[in-house]
Amino acid sequence: MTLRSLALLAITALSTSCSTAHIPPPTDPARGNLAQIEVVDRTNGTTLPVYWYRGERWIAGTPGHRYAISVRNRSGGRVLTVIAVDGVNAVSGETASWEQTGYVLDPGRSFDIRGWRKSQDRVAAFEFTALDDSYAARTGRPENVGVIGVAVFREAPRPELTPLAQAPAKSSAESANDAARGRDDAAGAPRAESRLGTGHGRSETSHVTYTDFERARPTPDEVITIRYDSRENLLAMGVITAPRPLPTPRPFPNSELGFVPDPPR
């Protein structure tokens, strides 16, 4: 049985061309068969490395830094991506479930989801913050803070249109992501002892349009999950292993001047 999704947000903008310096991740990125997910620290303009730990993907966020979830469609057809942050749907604000609204991407397209959707034109920026200050905790739902989830759905086959019934071409929606990966001012001081969550940050421009999308099946074809916390907490948990300092060798370990001592008696 197929489901018809209502009021979906269609992302028609192409990938933006940015001068972002990408950090080579220590492990494979969050790449599935249908979509690839990266988390971009917008404050310093870097893609956060992904660490594998006990079968889960982890990233280290910095308190006070804004971030974006970069989603790229790797398939040959349109896909619907339902985005959940801390167990909350990033578009509707509902406690997240698969059948809710999300973002539709054309083949090969990508989009940076930079915040909680407030309207077709505005978002409240995603921002790493202390758990108690996270949007989920402030709305009474702290149980799932610290996780990003993307459920990906293939589209059901669409009937071909006859030449007379073809719809006019739609213009691309304006993208406000041209500077999404640029350097922003940091906000807030780090609090390493607290677990990280995602705050409801300042209002920003982000344009999208509506489209129809019929899912090929009611359950996701793919679910990509990324957990996150501060670097200090990931070090304490063993997710990140801190390199041990190497001893500094000395070319002349006994460099004091002197003469031959007497042998021991």
Side-chain angles (χ1 to χ4, degrees):
M1 177 181 178
T2 60
L3 298 178
R4 175 165 291 279
S5 301
L6 301 177
L8 296 175
L9 294 164
I11 308 308
T12 57
L14 286 168
S15 303
T16 55
S17 175
C18 305
S19 57
T20 302
H22 288 263
I23 296 176
T27 61
D28 291 337
R31 183 184 296 116
N33 294 323
L34 302 179
Q36 177 173 309
I37 312 301
E38 294 179 327
V39 179
V40 179
D41 185 320
R42 297 174 54 211
T43 298
N44 59 26
T46 60
T47 298
L48 297 180
V50 177
Y51 301 89
W52 274 101
Y53 181 71
R54 296 182 177 178
E56 295 182 303
R57 297 180 181 92
W58 288 82
I59 58 172
T62 302
H65 284 206
R66 289 187 290 276
Y67 74 89
I69 303 169
S70 181
V71 182
R72 182 169 70 88
N73 181 0
R74 303 184 66 235
S75 75
R78 292 204 313 171
V79 296
L80 163 68
T81 58
V82 179
I83 312 297
V85 177
D86 296 348
V88 179
N89 186 291
V91 174
S92 67
E94 302 169 279
T95 299
S97 65
W98 290 337
E99 63 271 12
Q100 293 167 349
T101 188
Y103 292 89
V104 175
L105 279 75
D106 288 333
R109 298 288 182 92
S110 64
F111 191 72
D112 287 354
I113 300 162
R114 298 186 291 135
W116 307 99
R117 177 61 53 185
K118 307 299 291 184
S119 69
Q120 285 184 251
D121 303 306
R122 308 293 295 179
V123 294
F126 291 145
E127 182 178 283
F128 290 121
T129 189
L131 188 153
D132 291 344
D133 292 332
S134 68
Y135 177 74
R138 291 173 64 187
T139 54
R141 297 168 289 179
E143 297 84 5
N144 297 294
V145 168
V147 64
I148 296 167
V150 181
V152 187
F153 294 84
R154 297 182 189 270
E155 187 172 21
R158 290 186 287 178
E160 294 185 3
L161 300 176
T162 62
L164 292 179
Q166 285 182 344
K170 296 181 179 179
S171 60
S172 296
E174 178 185 354
S175 172
N177 285 339
D178 291 336
R181 297 184 181 179
R183 182 175 299 274
D184 290 323
D185 294 332
R191 282 169 282 184
E193 294 79 8
S194 173
R195 283 176 50 202
L196 275 191
T198 297
H200 185 275
R202 70 183 186 187
S203 179
E204 298 181 351
T205 300
S206 175
H207 297 292
V208 293
T209 59
Y210 286 101
T211 190
D212 290 326
F213 186 99
E214 186 173 354
R215 308 174 197 220
R217 61 178 188 171
T219 56
D221 294 280
E222 183 171 271
V223 177
I224 298 174
T225 302
I226 302 174
R227 298 187 65 181
Y228 68 90
D229 209 330
S230 67
R231 180 176 177 83
E232 290 78 7
N233 289 347
L234 296 192
L235 283 168
M237 294 166 57
V239 176
I240 301 175
T241 303
R244 295 181 179 179
L246 296 175
T248 303
R250 298 170 59 192
F252 299 97
N254 191 7
S255 59
E256 294 182 5
L257 297 177
F259 298 98
V260 177
D262 292 337
R265 293 181 181 180

